[in-house]
């Protein structure tokens, strides 16, 4: 159940991988859409935490282009609904996430990403 | 008290069997639920504001279910795949990660509004290999520093755990302090052996906020939904109504045994008579 809300917070945590380690790139992914309860206050509160460009790139990779490429100044209901859909309703079930810096592969199976590191990769 | 963390590392101890057992045990469910509510209380989140929480060692989602009910959005991490599988079956709402917290988190700074962890930290106190990154202080340092950066300023992390000694509490708090956390340890019901619970309350940039007080006084009486200990059943059976023990080796038993020995061909079995198994006179 990786959703874009958590993907947007996730950086690579392998040893000596401190720069250019965000966002993780998707590869060979399968997605599933599942409806979630719409909570406008939560989305509004979450806006400042988002890295907008990374979110747009990831959404495009998943085939969703409902969001504007620049974060809008004015926040209306439709925008929040689209954002809600992108953040919380698209689930990545299978595939992998790859660190753009150290090329570490985090496989996703059954909706759960495997973030375990080998002994030599622990910081 | 049983100490599963001394038996095997968590990802092995909580295999398929143990994970299902753990999740279906109503007593564990009750204890976990109580501690989760208490942790949320200690977390002291502003009311009416939807928060984004981190559940460290979410396991099968027993605590996550409560976070769902309370309307929080959450992310759970756990190192035991079998536990996460159970969590998937139970269809919890949060995002799940297979992650060893001793290796640190990769979340961006300021991601979470708070973190809770129920009955987890004690698992970090055992070294599984001799590699330097496997030593408890190293794993704790990695855990606390990455947790500190993943939390918003200001926010709190409430971590309930079962320490075996004061040295362990000392080690954990000193490492947490070095990682930048403020706060301290809250002990609920310090005088009760069973209900005693240790919570580590950590503040990120708390700015003089006080460590909350632990609950004190008598343990809450067991409610009607909880099973009470009954001694009645143990008493009955062993003794008859007159208070005397009923003899197990009565005449029937002796006859049965003798018949058995005869069948097996044992020699010199006394023959059965009217004196067999007869009660002797009481002799002073």
């Amino acid at each position: 159940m990786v959703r874009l809300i958590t993907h947007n917070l996730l950086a690579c945590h392998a040893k000596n991988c401190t720069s250019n380690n965000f966002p993780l790139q998707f590869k060979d992914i399968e997605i599933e859409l599942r409806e979630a309860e719409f909570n406008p206050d939560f989305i509004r509160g979450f806006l400042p935490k988002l890295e907008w460009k990374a979110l747009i790139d990831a959404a495009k990779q998943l085939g969703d282009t409902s969001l504007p490429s620049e974060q809008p100044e004015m926040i209306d209901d439709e925008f929040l609904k689209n954002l809600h859909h992108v953040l919380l309703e698209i689930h990545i079930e299978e595939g992998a996430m790859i660190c753009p810096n150290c090329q570490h592969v985090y496989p996703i199976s059954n909706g759960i990403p495997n973030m375990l590191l080998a002994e030599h990769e622990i910081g | 008290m049983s100490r599963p963390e001394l038996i095997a590392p968590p990802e092995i101890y909580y295999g398929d069997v143990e994970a299902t057992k753990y999740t279906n045990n109503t007593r564990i469910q009750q204890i976990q639920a109580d501690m989760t509510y208490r942790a949320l209380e200690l977390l002291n989140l502003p009311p009416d504001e939807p928060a984004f929480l981190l559940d460290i060692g979410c396991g099968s989602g027993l605590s996550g279910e409560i976070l769902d009910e309370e309307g929080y959005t959450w992310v759970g991490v756990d190192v035991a795949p079998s536990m996460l599988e159970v969590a998937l079956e139970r269809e919890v709402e949060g995002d799940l990660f297979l992650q060893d917290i001793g290796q640190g988190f990769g979340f961006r700074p300021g991601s979470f509004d708070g973190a809770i962890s129920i009955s987890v930290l004690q698992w970090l106190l055992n070294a599984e290999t001799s590699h330097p990154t496997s030593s408890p202080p190293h794993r704790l340092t990695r855990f606390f520093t990455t947790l500190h950066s993943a939390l918003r300023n200001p926010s709190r992390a409430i971590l309930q755990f079962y320490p075996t000694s004061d040295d362990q509490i000392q080690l954990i708090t000193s490492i947490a302090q070095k990682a930048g956390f403020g706060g301290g340890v809250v002990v609920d019901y310090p005088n009760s052996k069973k209900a005693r619970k240790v919570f580590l309350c950590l503040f990120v940039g708390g700015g003089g906020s006080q460590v909350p007080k632990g609950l004190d006084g008598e343990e809450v009486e067991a409610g009607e939904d909880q099973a009470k200990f009954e001694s009645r059943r143990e008493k009955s059976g062993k003794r008859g109504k007159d208070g005397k023990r009923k003899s197990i080796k009565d005449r029937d038993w002796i006859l049965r045994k003798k018949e058995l020995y005869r069948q097996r061909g044992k020699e010199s079995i006394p023959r059965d008579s009217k004196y067999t198994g007869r009660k002797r006179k009481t002799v002073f």
Side-chain angles (χ1 to χ4, degrees):
Chain A
M1 278 185 294
V2 198
R3 292 175 292 186
L4 286 188
I5 189 170
T6 29
H7 172 260
N8 202 264
L9 301 173
L10 206 56
C12 178
H13 65 298
K15 193 179 187 178
N16 298 330
C17 187
T18 45
S19 58
N20 189 29
N21 57 355
F22 172 85
L24 303 176
Q25 301 296 321
F26 288 119
K27 198 183 166 223
D28 303 331
I29 42 167
E30 282 171 33
I31 57 172
E32 204 180 295
L33 298 181
R34 249 176 272 161
E35 262 180 49
E37 206 177 314
F38 179 52
N39 185 344
D41 290 340
F42 175 74
I43 303 283
R44 208 170 282 138
F46 208 83
L47 263 176
K49 284 189 201 168
L50 288 171
E51 192 75 38
W52 193 257
K53 195 181 163 314
L55 178 70
I56 295 303
D57 288 349
K60 267 186 197 149
Q61 230 181 331
L62 303 182
D64 191 298
T65 50
S66 58
L67 291 174
S69 53
E70 291 291 323
Q71 189 170 345
E73 303 272 313
M74 285 289 289
I75 297 164
D76 55 16
D77 251 15
E78 199 189 327
F79 168 72
L80 283 179
K81 274 206 176 116
N82 285 339
L83 189 56
H84 164 78
H85 173 74
V86 171
L87 283 179
L88 296 169
E89 291 185 339
I90 305 176
H91 295 250
I92 294 120
E93 288 292 322
E94 302 284 335
M97 293 185 289
I98 299 171
C99 170
N101 184 31
C102 69
Q103 307 298 324
H104 188 283
V105 180
Y106 298 99
I108 305 171
S109 89
N110 231 339
I112 298 178
N114 183 341
M115 307 299 288
L116 299 179
L117 300 174
E119 223 164 43
H120 65 278
E121 295 167 320
I122 303 170
Chain B
M1 188 196 270
S2 65
R3 287 269 169 200
E5 65 269 23
L6 300 179
I7 297 172
E11 65 274 27
I12 294 172
Y13 180 80
Y14 288 116
D16 291 340
V17 179
E18 206 59 41
T20 332
K21 245 200 253 174
Y22 186 91
T23 316
N24 293 339
N25 184 326
T26 46
R27 188 172 152 272
I28 290 178
Q29 282 173 5
Q30 183 66 41
I31 295 175
Q32 292 272 326
D34 288 347
M35 290 193 295
T36 310
Y37 282 120
R38 176 71 176 135
L40 281 176
E41 185 187 335
L42 291 170
L43 208 50
N44 199 19
L45 290 165
D48 319 318
E49 236 177 78
F52 191 59
L53 301 182
L54 178 63
D55 186 354
I56 302 157
C58 60
S60 49
L62 288 176
S63 44
E65 221 162 50
I66 290 167
L67 298 181
D68 284 341
E69 273 171 33
E70 300 283 312
Y72 296 115
T73 315
W74 57 279
V75 171
V77 299
D78 205 289
V79 74
S82 304
M83 284 293 230
L84 292 174
E85 223 164 89
V86 178
L88 274 187
E89 279 166 27
R90 290 155 55 86
E91 295 186 340
V92 289
E93 301 273 329
D95 282 3
L96 304 171
F97 284 82
L98 178 67
Q99 187 158 27
D100 184 350
I101 57 170
Q103 298 179 347
F105 301 106
F107 297 112
R108 277 200 294 127
S111 297
F112 296 98
D113 300 318
I116 65 162
S117 154
I118 306 296
S119 181
V120 173
L121 274 193
Q122 72 268 15
W123 289 96
L124 281 182
L125 297 169
N126 303 300
E128 305 305 343
T129 68
S130 57
H131 197 270
T133 56
S134 183
S135 78
H138 185 275
R139 286 165 64 75
L140 284 168
T141 310
R142 189 86 186 121
F143 166 66
F144 281 123
T145 42
T146 49
L147 175 66
H148 185 268
S149 69
L151 289 170
R152 196 171 60 105
N153 184 358
S155 64
R156 286 183 181 190
I158 308 295
L159 310 122
Q160 183 274 331
F161 69 112
Y162 294 106
T164 38
S165 63
D166 285 347
D167 287 348
Q168 288 190 343
I169 300 182
Q170 184 71 39
L171 175 75
I172 287 175
T173 46
S174 69
I175 292 177
Q177 256 164 23
K178 267 184 218 154
F181 282 109
V185 173
V186 173
V187 183
D188 279 359
Y189 309 115
N191 299 322
S192 162
K193 218 173 174 184
K194 254 163 86 185
R196 185 173 195 271
K197 294 283 177 295
V198 180
F199 291 87
L200 189 61
C201 290
L202 299 176
F203 305 143
V204 179
S209 56
Q210 290 260 314
V211 178
K213 267 211 172 120
L215 298 177
D216 213 348
E218 285 298 296
E219 192 183 331
V220 188
E221 282 285 306
E224 292 202 346
D225 50 334
Q226 274 174 298
K228 280 184 192 151
F229 178 72
E230 287 200 33
S231 55
R232 198 180 44 196
R233 197 186 304 163
E234 271 176 39
K235 267 186 196 159
S236 64
K238 274 189 192 157
R239 283 158 198 263
K241 270 180 194 161
D242 51 356
K244 276 183 194 156
R245 248 172 232 275
K246 200 183 156 219
S247 172
I248 305 165
K249 298 179 181 177
D250 55 0
R251 190 181 147 86
D252 284 344
W253 183 84
I254 294 169
L255 288 175
R256 206 169 59 236
K257 280 288 188 193
K258 282 165 87 173
E259 190 54 43
L260 190 70
Y261 291 146
R262 279 189 206 106
Q263 276 174 12
R264 288 179 185 166
K266 203 174 170 186
E267 282 170 31
S268 66
I269 310 286
R271 51 194 177 83
D272 300 338
S273 73
K274 64 173 179 182
Y275 304 110
T276 306
R278 190 179 59 164
K279 195 176 179 298
R280 283 170 199 264
K281 242 187 224 165
T282 44
V283 181
F284 284 99

